[in-house]
Amino acid sequence: MATEKRCYLCAALVAPSVQEMREQMKVAYAQGADIVELRLDHLSQFEPAADLPLLLNGRPLPVIVTYRPFWEGGKYKGDEASRLDALHSAMLLGADFIDIELKAMPVFSAKMQDNKPNYCKVIVSNHNFETTPSADILVSLFKEIISSGADIVKIVTTAESITDVWKLFQILAISQLQVPTIALAMGEHGLISRLLCPKYGGFLTFGSLASGKESASGQPTLSDMRNAYGLQHVNKQTKVYGIIGKPVGHSKSPFIHNAAFRKVGHDGIYVPFLVDNVKDFLNVYNTSDFAGFSVTIPHKETALECCDEVDPLAKAIGAINTIVKRRNDGKLIGYNTDCEGAISAIEDGLRGMISSTGGSPLMGRYFVVTGAGGAGKALAYGAKDRGAKVFIANRNYDRAKSLADSLGGEALSLDQLNAFCPVNGMILANTTSLGMHPNISETPIAKDALRNYSLVFDAVYTPRYTRLLREAEECGAIVVSGLEMFIRQAMMQFSLFTGLNAPEQVMREKMASTSSYL
Ligand SMILES: *[C@@H]1O[C@H](CO)[C@@H](O)[C@H](O)[C@H]1NC(C)=O
Ligand SMILES: *[C@@H]1O[C@H](CO)[C@@H](O)[C@H](O)[C@H]1NC(C)=O
Ligand SMILES: *[C@@H]1O[C@H](CO)[C@@H](O)[C@H](O)[C@H]1NC(C)=O
Ligand SMILES: *[C@@H]1O[C@H](CO)[C@@H](O)[C@H](O)[C@H]1NC(C)=O
């Protein structure tokens, strides 16, 4: 009977003392780790004969004992014979796994020749701190590690771009019928190698106990791996989604989408994709496993070019924030849910204020957009689409003019905005970066001028209440925060990804709870 091997979550422990490492084992156990790695080389004082029993006796979880030498990126600088003696003692004292560097394997094999207990598995490891070699070189390395006598292969490289990680997934694919294998890429571009391990059949993946306690660069926390990404639920069938951006580490989208997938029972995982080149990324990660993408700055325009089909409104805007891989033919279809998210939030804000007469409450309204970048375009086209009379105000007048001309609106310079009041009850949508840190005292429009607006929207959501929104509220306008747009664009993405209604309450709760620690 074929039971699927599961990928273990291993807590990498880098405590400076034996006592702290013992404590950390308990924490790792409480956090749901399956295995712990004891990095002996991080102990400031270590006496194998006395300390190994302290570490191994009564341990709450299976352990990997690793004593990484300086020449393989570790902290141990002593002599090789004592190091290998300590590892051999750990093996005899009951360690479940021992990690031996490929280069040390010839000597270590000789040492354990007549004395290798069955319960102990040898992980033979190789680390590359500069780069990820070609697929061919990785395959040779993989074979070399197997023939060195490994029970488990461990290959760690450094990802210089996210496409490097694909080579490691290939190694995991060929390892499946041969030998349990760990294949990971360090660095921020390597994150998905750590998160998609269970999908590609890796033997284990490492997590840290807390941020700042990583044993290698790019390692996520154990708590995020379980609670945010739900790695314990990921298997070979799980569909992969994620957000393409640069930077992308701060994005809240993974928290929201993963929680939503779990709520409705959708077998998916949503990860951050740190992408330098969208075209290369989409070419490499274009298997049916990769089912949908969110797209953020700076890739919203280029990503559109990579799609096979693009929704007409998104095409007019010239930017997308969503790509769906169509199930029947694998084609990539682009959408812009930022636009719909913002416009529907504004419409609902207006509906709360005036009696609904059917149709969009934006019909015939004066709609002023500040900023002519991606978000400005989305708001302007969205408003135009609903029949509003659109004005674009921008620091650079020529950009305002060209956007206004492209959609049949009118342009203003930012200086003109304070005196602009053709009618009362206008709508203002702020998408400029004016007022962003460090220029926090700047604002696109004087407070007095806000009296002519009945609704003011701000595209940013951190802070939730910008100076603009505060002042608009004081002037009696309805205010709509970028948070509302963010939630709605995510809900629409969720529906495009899964074909299901988005679990709104969970998504809102996740957004609120992740915002509180920013
Ligand atoms: C992805 O694959 C689909 C189906 O084979 C193809 O239509 C599409 O052009 C590919 N896209 C990219 C960016 O490689
Ligand atoms: C704009 O607001 C000011 C201040 O409330 C008001 O005096 C003025 O009449 C308004 N302009 C229009 C066109 O309604
Ligand atoms: C809109 O204006 C406010 C001024 O208070 C600013 O802080 C905020 O960052 C602006 N919005 C955007 C999208 O940058
Ligand atoms: C802050 O203002 C300065 C001077 O106008 C400008 O050069 C800079 O780009 C602004 N910063 C942001 C984040 O908008």
Side-chain angles (χ1 to χ4, degrees):
M1 194 177 73
T3 55
E4 193 168 290
K5 283 170 285 161
R6 58 180 281 258
C7 170
Y8 300 110
L9 292 184
C10 178
L13 306 186
V14 291
S17 74
V18 169
Q19 188 51 38
E20 283 166 87
M21 207 168 263
R22 283 168 56 101
E23 290 305 317
Q24 288 191 355
M25 273 194 261
K26 292 184 201 151
V27 176
Y29 175 75
Q31 288 190 6
D34 302 306
I35 301 181
V36 291
E37 179 186 42
L38 308 181
R39 283 291 299 264
L40 301 181
D41 54 302
H42 281 254
L43 295 171
S44 56
Q45 293 206 318
F46 175 56
E47 196 49 63
D51 292 334
L52 281 173
L54 287 177
L55 288 167
L56 294 171
N57 295 345
R59 61 188 185 271
L61 289 167
V63 298
I64 299 173
V65 176
T66 302
Y67 204 5
R68 192 74 73 222
F70 195 65
W71 51 262
E72 184 89 4
K75 288 193 182 297
Y76 179 82
K77 287 185 175 172
D79 74 284
E80 188 66 359
S82 322
R83 187 176 79 88
L84 297 183
D85 279 344
L87 286 166
H88 194 234
S89 304
M91 186 178 235
L92 299 179
L93 285 167
D96 308 85
F97 304 91
I98 299 284
D99 180 311
I100 307 287
E101 302 72 26
L102 177 60
K103 285 190 200 115
M105 208 33 199
V107 177
F108 194 77
S109 297
K111 186 186 274 298
M112 67 176 173
Q113 200 161 31
D114 321 304
N115 211 348
K116 182 192 182 237
N118 277 334
Y119 56 75
C120 186
K121 302 281 177 245
V122 177
I123 300 173
V124 178
S125 61
N126 182 268
H127 298 75
N128 187 321
F129 289 90
E130 274 87 49
T131 185
T132 299
S134 70
D136 287 349
I137 292 177
L138 287 174
V139 170
S140 319
L141 177 63
F142 173 72
K143 290 180 179 158
E144 189 186 344
I145 294 178
I146 294 182
S147 36
S148 77
D151 295 314
I152 295 162
V153 173
K154 179 178 179 190
I155 295 177
V156 179
T157 67
T158 298
E160 293 173 281
S161 94
I162 194 162
T163 49
D164 279 340
V165 178
W166 184 251
K167 298 183 236 172
L168 295 172
F169 291 155
Q170 298 302 100
I171 292 294
L172 288 179
I174 63 169
S175 77
Q176 289 309 294
L177 294 170
Q178 304 186 39
V179 55
T181 298
I182 302 163
L184 297 169
M186 295 182 284
E188 50 178 355
H189 287 98
L191 178 60
I192 65 168
S193 72
R194 301 180 180 280
L195 298 178
L196 299 181
C197 253
K199 162 96 191 152
Y200 287 97
F203 177 69
L204 63 72
T205 182
F206 295 96
S208 67
L209 285 192
S211 70
K213 290 189 175 173
E214 299 81 9
S215 70
S217 87
Q219 209 171 65
T221 64
L222 196 61
S223 150
D224 276 351
M225 287 170 124
R226 287 182 58 90
N227 305 329
Y229 295 103
L231 288 204
Q232 65 278 26
H233 307 300
V234 175
N235 58 70
K236 290 191 168 60
Q237 282 71 46
T238 303
K239 293 286 183 199
V240 182
Y241 303 82
I243 179 161
I244 298 173
K246 184 185 177 176
V248 76
H250 62 284
S251 172
K252 288 157 193 278
S253 297
F255 295 95
I256 293 171
H257 282 285
N258 283 312
F261 287 162
R262 288 205 288 279
K263 175 72 183 176
V264 305
H266 180 71
D267 188 7
I269 178 173
Y270 186 107
V271 299
F273 294 116
L274 176 60
V275 170
D276 303 316
N277 182 316
V278 193
K279 198 166 193 292
D280 291 350
F281 172 82
L282 289 172
N283 277 326
V284 169
Y285 294 94
N286 195 20
T287 65
S288 61
D289 289 330
F290 291 81
F293 305 103
S294 308
V295 186
T296 188
I297 293 162
H299 296 314
K300 293 187 180 194
E301 288 85 18
T302 336
L304 183 147
E305 307 297 325
C306 302
C307 288
D308 299 296
E309 288 174 28
V310 178
D311 169 77
L313 185 56
K315 196 174 244 170
I317 295 166
I320 57 169
N321 76 327
T322 309
I323 301 175
V324 175
K325 194 167 180 62
R326 197 158 58 196
R327 249 155 283 207
N328 54 359
D329 59 7
K331 291 208 161 143
L332 300 177
I333 320 296
Y335 301 89
N336 191 315
T337 70
D338 285 335
C339 173
E340 194 57 31
I343 295 295
S344 74
I346 292 171
E347 286 177 326
D348 284 352
L350 287 172
R351 285 195 184 102
M353 172 174 90
I354 52 169
S355 59
S356 172
T357 51
S360 172
L362 285 175
M363 177 67 87
R365 286 265 183 168
Y366 281 57
F367 194 108
V368 179
V369 178
T370 65
K377 270 185 176 172
L379 266 301
Y381 274 94
K384 184 74 195 173
D385 189 58
R386 299 297 216 270
K389 192 165 166 44
V390 177
F391 298 83
I392 317 289
N394 195 42
R395 205 170 347 197
N396 176 334
Y397 178 80
D398 291 341
R399 286 191 70 185
K401 182 87 175 101
S402 97
L403 174 55
D405 286 350
S406 75
L407 53 74
E410 289 177 41
L412 300 167
S413 74
L414 263 188
D415 302 332
Q416 292 174 287
L417 194 57
N418 288 338
F420 179 73
C421 56
V423 294
N424 214 336
M426 298 186 289
I427 290 152
L428 180 70
N430 170 36
T431 73
T432 69
S433 57
L434 222 67
M436 266 169 77
H437 186 80
N439 304 330
I440 50 167
S441 62
E442 287 180 27
T443 177
I445 183 167
K447 184 172 176 183
D448 264 347
L450 288 169
R451 298 190 193 283
N452 299 100
Y453 292 85
S454 52
L455 184 145
V456 176
F457 165 81
D458 202 333
V460 293
Y461 59 83
T462 44
R464 181 164 182 178
Y465 283 102
T466 56
R467 171 176 169 190
L468 175 70
L469 291 188
R470 226 180 330 107
E471 292 181 348
E473 198 155 46
E474 285 161 14
C475 291
I478 307 247
V479 300
V480 177
S481 152
L483 196 70
E484 194 54 35
M485 163 170 113
F486 183 82
I487 290 281
R488 289 171 184 240
Q489 63 79 31
M491 286 171 54
M492 289 177 219
Q493 274 182 346
F494 179 93
S495 296
L496 289 167
F497 289 159
T498 63
L500 303 170
N501 285 330
E504 178 167 356
Q505 198 186 342
V506 165
M507 294 176 85
R508 285 186 184 276
E509 280 166 11
K510 265 292 156 204
M511 186 70 194
S513 64
T514 59
S515 305
S516 64
Y517 65 70
L518 259 191

